[in-house]
Amino acid sequence: MTQIPMGAVPKKDNEKLKVLKKPNKNVFLQMKKNYSAYLFLLPKLILFVLFVAIPVIWAFVLSFQEYKIFGSEFVGLDNYIKVFQSEAFLVALKNTLLFTVVTVPFSVLSALVIASMIFVLGKVSQSFFRSAFYLPTVTSMVIIAMVWRWMYNYEFGLFNYILGWFGIEQINWLGQSSSALWALIIMQCLIPFGVGIIMYLASMGSISHSLYEAARMDGASSFKQWLHITIPLLKPTTLYLVLLSTIGSFQVFTQIIMMTGGGPGNATETLVHLIYKTGFRDFEFGLAAAQSVVLFVIILIFSIIQFRVLRHDE
Amino acid sequence: MKKKPLDKVNKLILYVLLTIFAVVSLLPLYWVFSTSLQLNSYQSQDMERPVSYVDSNPPKMYPMGIPLYFEHWGEARDAAKSGDAKEEAYHRDMMDHIVDNTFSSYENLFKKNDVGKWFFNSFYIAVVVTFGILLLDAMAGYVLAKKKFPGRNLIFWVIISTMMIPGQVTLVPLFIMVGNLDLMNTHWALILPDLSMVFGVFLMRQFMYSIPDELLEAAKMDGASEWRTFWTVVLPLAKPGLAALGIFTFMNVWNSFLWPIIVLNSSKLYTLPVGLKTLQDANLASFKLLMSGAAVSAIPMIIVFILFQRYFVKGLTLGGVKE
């Protein structure tokens, strides 16, 4: 977005000269002249510094310390070494990666397919289905996790009952290491990616008609139009949605604590659940800070890679 | 995209598929409500002991109170016709029992648990944070978009760059800080960090660009103070953006979970999600009760969504809102 310059009046020449001669005084004057702007910013800025900026810096500092109430000790890279040597962290990393690698492509792709299906419908059906798919997104994950835990119940659960129709034996979905993580992955895949559907619908609406007209003149089928016009033009949206859901997926937590507590064993341990346990069950603040910094770096690396890959093959 | 009329068969297939997907996606929510209204104690004359339909195998797909109520209603009518007063009274009693039992968990929820308190806590915290954010972020977004002052770009980029950092990074330092400030186990521990969220500043700044400078100039000419200009010119023009930001803030705070379970530890201060977790952990609550709690927590967001749907769409497409 380009910014429109403030006011239409051009700067006077002598004012420009002042800038050249005495930059410091000019800055001070500018600040004085705009004191009200600073007043408007001040409340948010104070909160930001106190509850965002300081904690962020502090987290990096803490990750090199062993926290003690009276005077923390610097321990160099010890916390980071501990992070990568602990089996729990490596398992959590592996689980989180598997969760992300399966659910992100599935969510984004199914959002694209569902949005494409909704888009060709009439106005009323469009808004009806859009709401139906977005509704689960506004309800808290706590609720969704509670009901899915109940649906996965071994004896009374809905899923084992449905499997029974097809003569499949009951599965102890969340109770055994072999299926617990997959149960959570299936659940994530079946929760519609409401944000994705809405954003895809909005982007499809802004694609110019003439492109499709031209394609139809050339005799391209609807599917070919979709493949060669719609999908390439939706690329920025796809990029954004992949980034968004990857970031969200790396932070998966609520389902874990509500449904499995990371178990059985550490079959469903994830990075954020591990940070939570390290920090607030074992109170190892330095280690938890190091884990969270590693999480940040992983997310950052993934974001950069995805950005590059999805931007480049144009 | 040009809409080309679909032929009838294709259209039918499309509707069937979409309906199946929609049913799958709404099934969990349906299950919450259905289980919360399921009969969990029913004994007719020919049964040896009362049965519960909540954990019956196979599961009942809808509240059993509905068909049973009509069954007894029919039999009461028949009994009345044949003049059997005793039989009629029995069926009338059963009808009352079914209604009571169907809604019993909602009653228990508020009577025997702190759910009323949790609901109130969640609500007032969400309202306070939402209006606080709207005011603070509109003020900040306005000057960042419309005023030129030294340090403007620096401030903006510092604020925006923290949006990249996942919230978990600040958990431990915030926890120590909240402890040092003696705010542990208070609502301030939730409200202050929530008010510091920076996403709204970004969103409002984007939105404020679209306000024409001429209007601001005109207000200035009329001798309006900066505050008055902001209050009477800028805010009304920013209404659609404020609505979108307000709804997303309300939703995020209402559903927020990780930080509240860390800083709250007395039941009377819990928010709904935290309370629901302790209900589930206690393992004493029946699933009927748990699902009623879930329903109570879901209903306000469903209402907000239905009322303000278009702002949800607007908010999502405006700046790309985090879930």
Side-chain angles (χ1 to χ4, degrees):
Chain A
M1 207 169 271
T2 49
Q3 203 233 317
I4 309 147
M6 176 63 188
V9 190
K11 269 185 190 167
K12 281 174 197 161
D13 282 349
N14 56 356
E15 239 179 49
K16 265 185 196 161
L17 277 175
K18 251 188 217 165
V19 180
L20 291 174
K21 274 180 187 166
K22 291 179 181 173
N24 285 334
K25 201 179 174 194
N26 192 275
V27 166
F28 183 71
L29 273 176
Q30 282 276 323
M31 286 173 80
K32 212 173 157 188
K33 214 175 89 190
N34 283 299
Y35 75 98
S36 64
Y38 295 101
L39 285 182
F40 270 75
L41 259 177
L42 199 63
K44 189 73 190 187
L45 217 51
I46 291 173
L47 284 166
F48 172 77
V49 169
L50 273 178
F51 295 102
V52 180
I54 291 177
V56 165
I57 296 165
W58 196 348
F60 283 91
V61 175
L62 255 174
S63 71
F64 296 103
Q65 287 181 329
E66 192 186 326
Y67 180 80
K68 284 172 186 154
I69 297 171
F70 302 105
S72 304
E73 257 175 60
F74 272 92
V75 292
L77 288 171
D78 275 14
N79 288 326
Y80 287 97
I81 293 167
K82 250 192 238 164
V83 166
F84 286 104
Q85 277 176 348
S86 85
E87 204 208 319
F89 182 83
L90 297 176
V91 170
L93 180 61
K94 197 195 83 196
N95 290 341
T96 311
L97 281 175
L98 181 65
F99 187 86
T100 304
V101 166
V102 180
T103 62
V104 169
F106 190 92
S107 298
V108 175
L109 199 67
S110 61
L112 174 65
V113 170
I114 291 175
S116 304
M117 289 168 75
I118 294 176
F119 190 75
V120 292
L121 301 177
K123 255 219 163 110
V124 178
S125 329
Q126 243 189 48
S127 79
F128 171 78
F129 280 113
R130 195 175 55 194
S131 308
F133 288 111
Y134 195 70
L135 201 54
T137 310
V138 303
T139 40
S140 114
M141 184 48 90
V142 173
I143 298 167
I144 294 174
M146 278 166 76
V147 66
W148 275 81
R149 195 171 107 132
W150 181 224
M151 295 196 299
Y152 274 141
N153 185 292
Y154 182 65
E155 276 176 87
F156 312 112
L158 193 59
F159 286 121
N160 280 340
Y161 170 63
I162 292 172
L163 286 186
W165 293 348
F166 305 100
I168 301 169
E169 237 177 274
Q170 287 167 305
I171 297 172
N172 193 357
W173 293 96
L174 298 170
Q176 55 187 22
S177 320
S178 55
S179 63
L181 184 61
W182 283 101
L184 295 174
I185 289 174
I186 292 171
M187 165 184 163
Q188 190 67 35
C189 290
L190 289 182
I191 299 171
F193 186 19
V195 178
I197 293 170
I198 286 188
M199 295 210 52
Y200 270 133
L201 279 172
S203 312
M204 285 176 190
S206 64
I207 296 176
S208 152
H209 294 186
S210 54
L211 286 168
Y212 293 100
E213 301 278 356
R216 210 169 312 132
M217 299 272 199
D218 293 344
S221 67
S222 303
F223 180 72
K224 276 211 163 144
Q225 290 174 29
W226 185 71
L227 205 63
H228 295 296
I229 300 176
T230 314
I231 291 184
L233 287 174
L234 289 177
K235 211 177 212 175
T237 312
T238 305
L239 170 66
Y240 174 75
L241 291 174
V242 168
L243 283 175
L244 187 75
S245 57
T246 304
I247 292 169
S249 171
F250 268 110
Q251 301 179 1
V252 57
F253 170 75
T254 308
Q255 299 94 304
I256 311 298
I257 195 171
M258 292 298 289
M259 294 172 74
T260 64
N266 51 13
T268 56
E269 192 66 83
T270 61
L271 292 175
V272 173
H273 189 255
L274 184 68
I275 294 170
Y276 170 78
K277 262 170 50 181
T278 312
F280 306 104
R281 198 175 301 170
D282 308 339
F283 294 103
E284 292 201 49
F285 289 155
L287 191 59
Q291 287 170 343
S292 65
V293 171
V294 173
L295 172 72
F296 167 50
V297 173
I298 293 172
I299 291 179
L300 197 65
I301 291 171
F302 259 76
S303 306
I304 292 169
I305 293 173
Q306 288 173 343
F307 202 78
R308 290 258 157 122
V309 169
L310 282 163
R311 266 288 148 91
H312 259 272
D313 53 58
E314 274 172 13
Chain B
M1 201 192 281
K2 180 76 178 176
K3 278 175 208 169
K4 151 182 116 170
L6 292 163
D7 61 72
K8 278 203 175 124
V9 180
N10 278 342
K11 205 163 189 178
L12 188 70
I13 295 173
L14 210 57
Y15 272 107
V16 169
L17 278 178
L18 274 175
T19 307
I20 293 171
F21 293 159
V23 166
V24 170
S25 85
L26 290 175
L27 181 72
L29 265 184
Y30 170 77
W31 206 240
V32 168
F33 288 101
S34 170
T35 308
S36 79
L37 296 171
Q38 191 57 274
L39 273 189
N40 68 352
S41 163
Y42 174 79
Q43 184 173 24
S44 68
Q45 282 161 314
D46 49 353
M47 285 174 169
E48 277 177 24
R49 63 176 84 85
V51 292
S52 163
Y53 293 108
V54 174
D55 37 20
S56 61
N57 198 355
K60 299 288 178 232
M61 304 300 278
Y62 48 86
M64 285 303 285
I66 298 168
L68 287 169
Y69 183 89
F70 284 108
E71 213 173 275
H72 283 289
W73 180 73
E75 291 194 24
R77 201 190 43 190
D78 291 347
K81 262 186 207 157
S82 60
D84 190 343
K86 204 178 150 200
E87 184 77 2
E88 191 198 344
Y90 164 75
H91 287 294
R92 295 264 172 229
D93 275 356
M94 287 307 281
M95 283 158 66
D96 287 345
H97 169 77
I98 288 169
V99 173
D100 285 350
N101 190 267
T102 296
F103 296 101
S104 62
S105 59
Y106 285 93
E107 212 182 316
N108 285 338
L109 206 57
F110 285 94
K111 259 193 203 153
K112 294 185 187 161
N113 295 283
D114 286 337
V115 173
K117 262 182 208 138
W118 302 341
F119 191 93
F120 174 76
N121 292 340
S122 277
F123 186 76
Y124 101 82
I125 290 172
V127 168
V128 167
V129 171
T130 302
F131 283 99
I133 283 270
L134 288 182
L135 182 65
L136 294 177
D137 293 5
M139 284 163 63
Y142 165 58
V143 292
L144 286 173
K146 288 295 180 190
K147 300 280 169 190
K148 279 200 157 172
F149 53 91
R152 181 181 75 159
N153 288 337
L154 179 74
I155 291 172
F156 179 69
W157 285 111
V158 167
I159 288 179
I160 290 313
S161 63
T162 59
M163 275 172 66
M164 300 262 305
I165 299 170
Q168 290 82 11
V169 171
T170 56
L171 283 181
V172 171
L174 268 182
F175 183 78
I176 299 172
M177 258 174 83
V178 162
N180 290 344
L181 294 171
D182 220 8
L183 295 177
M184 199 58 82
N185 201 28
T186 65
H187 287 155
W188 285 112
L190 303 184
I191 293 172
L192 289 174
D194 276 351
L195 281 178
S196 319
M197 291 187 292
V198 296
F199 174 73
V201 177
F202 174 69
L203 190 90
M204 288 325 293
R205 178 177 175 271
Q206 298 294 84
F207 207 84
M208 296 295 185
Y209 273 132
S210 62
I211 295 176
D213 285 326
E214 294 78 43
L215 281 175
L216 303 177
E217 295 285 322
K220 212 176 179 181
M221 297 281 193
D222 289 347
S225 66
E226 288 289 348
W227 179 254
R228 220 183 129 72
T229 309
F230 172 73
W231 197 254
T232 57
V233 179
V234 175
L235 276 190
L237 286 171
K239 254 184 201 158
L242 289 170
L245 175 61
I247 283 162
F248 279 97
T249 307
F250 187 89
M251 181 171 87
N252 279 341
V253 178
W254 180 267
N255 290 340
S256 108
F257 180 61
L258 174 54
W259 180 239
I261 62 170
I262 292 172
V263 290
L264 298 180
N265 51 42
S266 52
S267 178
K268 66 180 193 329
L269 293 176
Y270 285 164
T271 56
L272 262 176
V274 183
L276 289 179
K277 177 180 184 290
T278 59
L279 264 189
Q280 181 180 284
D281 289 352
N283 244 341
L284 297 168
S286 70
F287 267 102
K288 183 174 160 71
L289 189 78
L290 278 182
M291 289 302 115
S292 313
V296 165
S297 164
I299 289 168
M301 276 323 300
I302 294 175
I303 293 173
V304 167
F305 174 67
I306 291 170
L307 288 180
F308 301 110
Q309 241 192 87
R310 61 201 180 99
Y311 294 110
F312 273 88
V313 178
K314 176 151 220 148
L316 284 170
T317 46
L318 201 66
V321 170
K322 287 184 185 178
E323 272 176 271

